[in-house]
Every structure is written in structure tokens, then in C-alpha cells.
């Protein structure tokens, strides 16, 4: 083992029991370490579709809400699956489900993916419970749900009030149907398990002409957070693949990872679509001809990366697959795979996000924290960012909110009756959650008791990491090594976050115990 390769996937999150997590910001008691055993890899893969009813609202654009203009409204049709959002009217491409089930005899990883806007803790918990009931296996913390972050897939499956503005009021039937469809495909993947070979490949600057994807945040391109010799903040240049072969070396499945938003289907489109990520998958799968290969696109640092492509609308989506497939295959075909025994370890955690819990110490080298919330209406921040010695001035009092803020950067929220002003002192373009909660009651016919502040789903974030290896790895510089792969699951990371995570993970050794 010579090192660790790193992946970043968009996902929220593997099932973990958050009720066991301390709520006071303290570090949870570490369990007794358990040795991690090497075992021969077995892999099963399967795919299906989110065949949910047409009429289910699409998620990802608040502009589809009647409260914000009803973009994409086509006619006066009605649907039992919508409340305040516009009804979907058809399907361009059915959002897909992909599952890869990995087992080494010591542990398991159930990697599920849907073409959806986001995941939720409740969805993963329900999926885990269903799979445990069907298999008799302990899968707590081993089921991961990644999404491609398409803004044109079905919505209203998330419980949290926060998500209503992105996909309408929660609908129990849609939630249960999603769980059922994903579980069905996952069980098929498990039934397909067979001895397998696994390998990893990396490439950087693999799309220099922005044929497939491009930078979405040009304002920060001149920043150099890693110094003059480090990368600037354009699009994340990394392409990663995990190749799964059968015992004879023929491909079974392929994970493709880079950052690319699913936003070609705009707020004006009423058609469900897998968008850029799904069309990339289709292009790569078709490149294998008659060979059945499950291709899973996992969103990398896509928060600040947009799809490129050619022409417009659906032709542009298809061009992502046409142009992207040969670039992905060039890397995937260069990857060597092995059936040598591997370690497999997956860990899930909940990260507290309330004001008092957010604190960065970095081993005692810094002490970054927020000042306690000041309810005085006359409060004024000091607007001091740096101390005289150049360090960050602590505590931070420039985000003085009791429950957080939303719609930052909008400069006002457009409503049918006018524009709602935004301000969270000293930020002039944010809306307090308290103010937003009143609008939620109005938009979605909620009673005051239906909304508790701070919003429960805003108090913690789930994250998961998986370590698999050692695996044959083709590094971006062309060298070949055997090293562990560390896979991190986050919610819509940007390039600066993904790069910092890579560097931090590479700098800290992994423990050989679970």
C-alpha cells in the first residue's frame, strides 16, 4: 500500500442513527476498534428507473412554485401529487436508478444512485430497513444514496420543510414508491453478486476545451487558496473512475465521478429528465455495444460546475453523452483491475451545524467560532475580518441570526405581488429563516405549529466515507500503484471544498481498524 486515492461524490448519506449523536457539540464516545479483515471482492450491479406518475412535481427550481411565478406551467391540468408546484406533463428520459453492491466477506457497501435533486436521511433509513428485512443482513451505515443533482427529476419525497421550496410538500406515496423502486434494484444487484476484479483510474484536465462541463463561478477564478504554485478556482479538473470487472476481466460496472450540474432542463421545462448526468451515463453505456455495463455517474464537485454540450435543450443533453463517452472510456480502458483481497470500511457521521457547535480548531492551531446570537434589534456587527497580525478575527459576529438565512445573493425575493426585501446585517441580500417561515406557512398552507425554529433539518448534516483497497490505481501522472481508495459523500460540494478534502485526507493516515 503506497497511499490513498480520493473520490468525492455528491450524496446524503449512509444510514446512521442520529438519535445516538450528542446534541451538545461534544465528541461522541469512540467504540472499541474492530480489526478490518481482507477478503476477496464480490460485486453485483443492476439498474432501473424512477417510474413515478406524470403529474408529480419536478424539483430543483423554486420558480416552479406557484408562489414564485409557476414557471413551466403548460395548462390547467391538476394532479393529486402536487400542492403548490406546477405539475410535470411528460417524460424526456426516465430518471434512472443504479446500484452497485460490493462485498468482501467482512463488510458490505450498497452504493445506490438516482437521478434526483437530493437525498435525505429518512430515505436512506427507510431503504436500509427494507434491505435489512429482505436480506437479514446488518446494513446500518452501509447503504449510501448518491444523486446526480438533476433539476428536472421528480420531487416531493423529502420530509424537511426546508426542501418544500425546492420540490413541494412531502408526499408519502411518492416517498414509499421511491424506496420500493430503489430497494428492488438493490436486491437485483445483490442477486447478481459474483467474484470480481476492481481498479481505479484518475485523469486531470481531461476536458480542456469545456466540451462536457465548464466553470460556473468565474468570479473566484483568480483566487489562489493553495498559494502561487497551487491550482486556481476554475472547474474541478479531476475525473475519477472505479471499474468493476467479472472474474474473466470483462466489465460489469463503472463509476464515473466529476462535477457537473444537471441544469440543461431549465425551470421552463415541464418534462422529467435525467439531464446531463443521465445522458453521460447513456453515452458511456452505449459505447460498450451489446455488452451490459451498469454506468453510474456520481456528482463530484458540481456546486460550481455547469454542463457544456452543443446546441440547445434535449440535443445539448445528448451531446454530453456523445462528447463525454470517448473521454471517459479512454481512462476506463486504461485501468487495470485485480481480484486480490481488499479491505472494506464505511463510516457515517452527523455533523452539528448550529451556531454554538460550529467550531474549527485544527488540532489546536486555530480557534474559529461564531459569536453567540445577539437578539438586540440594534445589533451592529464590527465588520472586522482580520486581526492586526493577519489572522482571522474571532469570534465571527457578521452572521447574527438565530435560525440561519436563505436566498443569499438574490437581492430580493420576487413574488407575484412584488419583491420581498432581503437583509441579514451586514449582508444585504439574505432572508432570515424566521421571515421565510411565514412565507412557508402561506405558500404551503402550513399551520404555525408545523414549523419549528430552528428548522430541525438545518441543525446537522450527514456525511459518509468509504475506504476500499488496496486497489490497482492509475494516477493522473501515468504512474501505477496499489493503494486504498477513500470515497467521501457530501451534499453539493464546490471545487474548493473537494480539493481541501482531498488534501486533508491525504495528509492524515488511515487506521487499519474499524
Amino acid at each position: 500500500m503506497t497511499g490513498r486515492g480520493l473520490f468525492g461524490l455528491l450524496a446524503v448519506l449512509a444510514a446512521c442513527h442520529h438519535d445516538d449523536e450528542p446534541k451538545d457539540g461534544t465528541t461522541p464516545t469512540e467504540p472499541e476498534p474492530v480489526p478490518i479483515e481482507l477478503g476477496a471482492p464480490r460485486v453485483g450491479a443492476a439498474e432501473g428507473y424512477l417510474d413515478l406518475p406524470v403529474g408529480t412535481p419536478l424539483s430543483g427550481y423554486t420558480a416552479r412554485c406557484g408562489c414564485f411565478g409557476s414557471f413551466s406551467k403548460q395548462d390547467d391540468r391538476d394532479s393529486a401529487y402536487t400542492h403548490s408546484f406546477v405539475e410535470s406533463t411528460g417524460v424526456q428520459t426516465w430518471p434512472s436508478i443504479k446500484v452497485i453492491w460490493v462485498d468482501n466477506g467482512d463488510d458490505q457497501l450498497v452504493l445506490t444512485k438516482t437521478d434526483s435533486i437530493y437525498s435525505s436521511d429518512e430515505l436512506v433509513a427507510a431503504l436500509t430497513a427494507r434491505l435489512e428485512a429482505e436480506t437479514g443482513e446488518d446494513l446500518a451505515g452501509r447503504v449510501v444514496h448518491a444523486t446526480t443533482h438533476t433539476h428536472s427529476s421528480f420531487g416531493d419525497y423529502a420530509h424537511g420543510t426546508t426542501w418544500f421550496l425546492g420540490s413541494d410538500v412531502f408526499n408519502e406515496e411518492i416517498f414509499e414508491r421511491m424506496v420500493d423502486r430503489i430497494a428492488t434494484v438493490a436486491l437485483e444487484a445483490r442477486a447478481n453478486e459474483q467474484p470480481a476484479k476492481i481498479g481505479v483510474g484518475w485523469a486531470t484536465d481531461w476536458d480542456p476545451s469545456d466540451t462536457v462541463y465548464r466553470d460556473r463561478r468565474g468570479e473566484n477564478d483568480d483566487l489562489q487558496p493553495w498559494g502561487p504554485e497551487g491550482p486556481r478556482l476554475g472547474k474541478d479538473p479531476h475525473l475519477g473512475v472505479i471499474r468493476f470487472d467479472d472474474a474473466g476481466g470483462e466489465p460489469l460496472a463503472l463509476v464515473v465521478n466529476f462535477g457537473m450540474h444537471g441544469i440543461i432542463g431549465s425551470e421552463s421545462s415541464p418534462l422529467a429528465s435525467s439531464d446531463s448526468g443521465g445522458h453521460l451515463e447513456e453515452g458511456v453505456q452505449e459505447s460498450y455495444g451489446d455488452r451490459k455495463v451498469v454506468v453510474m455517474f456520481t456528482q463530484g464537485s458540481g456546486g460550481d460546475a455547469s454542463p457544456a454540450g452543443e446546441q440547445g435543450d434535449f440535443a445539448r443533453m445528448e451531446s454530453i453523452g456523445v462528447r463525454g463517452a470517448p473521454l471517459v472510456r479512454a481512462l476506463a480502458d486504461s485501468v487495470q483491475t485485480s481480484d486480490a483481497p481488499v479491505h472494506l470500511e464505511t463510516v457515517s457521521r452527523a455533523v452539528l451545524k448550529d451556531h454554538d457547535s460550529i467550531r474549527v480548531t485544527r488540532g489546536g492551531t486555530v480557534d474559529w467560532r461564531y459569536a453567540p446570537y445577539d437578539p438586540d434589534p440594534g445589533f451592529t456587527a464590527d465588520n472586522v475580518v482580520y486581526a492586526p497580525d493577519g489572522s482571522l478575527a474571532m469570534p465571527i459576529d457578521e452572521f447574527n441570526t438565530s435560525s440561519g438565512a436563505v436566498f443569499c445573493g438574490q437581492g430580493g425575493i420576487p413574488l407575484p405581488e412584488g419583491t420581498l426585501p432581503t437583509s441579514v446585517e451586514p449582508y444585504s441580500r439574505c432572508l432570515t429563516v424566521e421571515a421565510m417561515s411565514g412565507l412557508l406557512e402561506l405558500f404551503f398552507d402550513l399551520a404555525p405549529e408545523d414549523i419549528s425554529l430552528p428548522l430541525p433539518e438545518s441543525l446537522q448534516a450527514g456525511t459518509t466515507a468509504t475506504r476500499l483497497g488496496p486497489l490497482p490505481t492509475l494516477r493522473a501522472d501515468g504512474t501505477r500503484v496499489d493503494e486504498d481508495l477513500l470515497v467521501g459523500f457530501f451534499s453539493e460540494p464546490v471545487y474548493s471544498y473537494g480539493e481541501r478534502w482531498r488534501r486533508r485526507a491525504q495528509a492524515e493516515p488511515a487506521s487499519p481498524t474499524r
Side-chain angles (χ1 to χ4, degrees), residues 26 154 216 231 271 285 292 353 359 457 489 496:
T26 59
F154 300 113
R216 190 167 175 245
L271 302 181
Q285 287 190 184
K292 176 67 173 179
K353 299 194 300 179
R359 192 162 189 168
E457 62 270 17
F489 299 89
S496 58

Side-chain angles (χ1 to χ4, degrees), residues 148-470:
T148 59
H149 199 56
T150 169
H151 285 50
S152 294
S153 185
F154 300 113
D156 70 7
Y157 56 86
H159 287 78
T161 310
T162 303
W163 316 124
F164 291 3
L165 284 169
S167 58
D168 212 346
V169 174
F170 172 74
N171 185 294
E172 184 73 32
E173 179 185 340
I174 297 300
F175 176 83
E176 294 293 342
R177 290 176 71 157
M178 279 191 67
V179 172
D180 180 72
R181 290 297 300 133
I182 299 169
T184 298
V185 177
L187 293 170
E188 181 183 347
R190 187 174 188 266
N192 292 339
E193 264 194 25
Q194 59 185 286
K197 297 180 176 182
I198 309 175
V200 175
W202 289 101
T204 55
D205 300 317
W206 60 281
D207 182 34
S209 301
D210 293 347
T211 300
V212 180
Y213 72 123
R214 59 189 174 215
D215 184 21
R216 190 167 175 245
R217 292 285 184 266
E219 298 87 347
N220 64 0
D221 286 0
D222 290 333
L223 297 179
Q224 297 176 290
W226 299 282
E229 304 303 320
R232 294 174 182 266
L233 293 182
K235 67 180 184 181
D236 189 334
H238 295 85
L239 168 66
V241 300
I242 312 174
R243 177 173 159 177
F244 300 93
D245 292 348
D246 64 18
E250 294 296 323
L252 291 172
L254 185 71
V255 173
V256 181
N257 180 253
F258 65 94
M260 178 178 62
H261 247 72
I263 52 175
I264 296 176
S266 71
E267 65 269 25
S268 298
S269 175
L271 302 181
S273 173
S274 61
D275 213 279
S276 55
H279 285 77
L280 185 280
E281 289 179 342
E282 288 295 323
V284 177
Q285 287 190 184
E286 289 177 1
S287 72
Y288 285 98
D290 294 335
R291 176 76 187 182
K292 176 67 173 179
V293 180
V294 174
V295 177
M296 178 188 293
F297 170 68
T298 53
Q299 180 69 270
S301 299
D304 49 3
S306 295
E310 303 172 14
Q311 302 182 55
D313 299 327
F314 303 135
R316 183 179 164 202
M317 292 182 189
E318 293 182 8
S319 74
I320 298 291
V322 172
R323 300 303 184 193
L327 299 176
V328 171
R329 283 294 302 272
L331 175 59
D333 293 350
S334 299
V335 170
Q336 297 176 354
T337 59
S338 171
D339 58 3
V342 294
H343 294 112
L344 176 59
E345 175 186 19
T346 298
V347 177
S348 300
R349 291 288 184 268
V351 180
L352 302 181
K353 299 194 300 179
D354 60 279
H355 244 200
D356 294 338
S357 297
I358 297 176
R359 192 162 189 168
V360 178
T361 61
R362 292 189 178 170
T365 61
V366 297
D367 185 15
W368 298 342
R369 65 194 186 283
Y370 284 107
Y373 169 64
D374 187 339
D376 184 352
F379 168 83
T380 301
D382 61 17
N383 288 333
V384 175
V385 177
Y386 295 104
D389 64 358
S391 64
L392 291 176
M394 291 294 121
I396 301 169
D397 67 348
E398 283 78 27
F399 198 67
N400 188 55
T401 70
S402 63
S403 303
V406 296
F407 293 121
C408 291
Q410 298 298 314
I413 307 302
L415 298 174
E417 296 79 15
T419 299
L420 180 69
T422 55
S423 179
V424 177
E425 200 279 333
Y427 300 99
S428 62
R429 296 197 297 173
C430 291
L431 184 69
T432 65
V433 170
E434 292 93 331
M436 192 69 240
S437 66
L439 295 178
L440 288 171
E441 294 176 20
L442 175 64
F443 295 161
F444 300 106
D445 296 326
L446 302 176
E449 58 268 24
D450 293 332
I451 301 177
S452 59
L453 296 177
L455 297 172
E457 62 270 17
S458 72
L459 296 179
Q460 61 185 27
T463 185
T464 296
T466 291
R467 186 164 65 102
L468 176 64

Side-chain angles (χ1 to χ4, degrees), residues 73-208:
K73 184 175 179 61
Q74 302 297 300
D75 49 39
D76 292 331
R77 75 181 64 200
D78 195 11
S79 169
Y81 299 102
T82 63
H83 186 279
S84 297
F85 269 53
V86 172
E87 300 84 2
S88 58
T89 62
V91 175
Q92 183 262 336
T93 48
W94 283 106
S96 71
I97 304 168
K98 305 289 178 74
V99 179
I100 300 175
W101 196 306
V102 185
D103 188 342
N104 74 336
D106 178 54
D107 208 351
Q108 300 179 75
L109 172 65
V110 186
L111 178 55
T112 70
K113 183 238 68 171
T114 59
D115 293 325
S116 306
I117 187 65
Y118 40 58
S119 182
S120 70
D121 293 350
E122 292 87 355
L123 190 149
V124 177
L127 178 59
T128 302
R130 169 74 181 276
L131 294 178
E132 287 183 330
E134 294 285 347
T135 64
E137 302 276 1
D138 177 10
L139 297 174
R142 296 168 176 85
V143 178
V144 177
H145 179 223
T147 70
T148 59
H149 199 56
T150 169
H151 285 50
S152 294
S153 185
F154 300 113
D156 70 7
Y157 56 86
H159 287 78
T161 310
T162 303
W163 316 124
F164 291 3
L165 284 169
S167 58
D168 212 346
V169 174
F170 172 74
N171 185 294
E172 184 73 32
E173 179 185 340
I174 297 300
F175 176 83
E176 294 293 342
R177 290 176 71 157
M178 279 191 67
V179 172
D180 180 72
R181 290 297 300 133
I182 299 169
T184 298
V185 177
L187 293 170
E188 181 183 347
R190 187 174 188 266
N192 292 339
E193 264 194 25
Q194 59 185 286
K197 297 180 176 182
I198 309 175
V200 175
W202 289 101
T204 55
D205 300 317
W206 60 281
D207 182 34

Side-chain angles (χ1 to χ4, degrees), residues 4-8 200-204 238-241 257 331 335 473-478 483-486 502:
R4 287 176 290 156
L6 303 172
F7 245 61
V200 175
W202 289 101
T204 55
H238 295 85
L239 168 66
V241 300
N257 180 253
L331 175 59
V335 170
T473 302
L474 173 62
R475 291 179 173 172
D477 63 5
E483 62 184 8
D484 280 3
L485 174 69
L486 183 62
R502 287 187 188 97

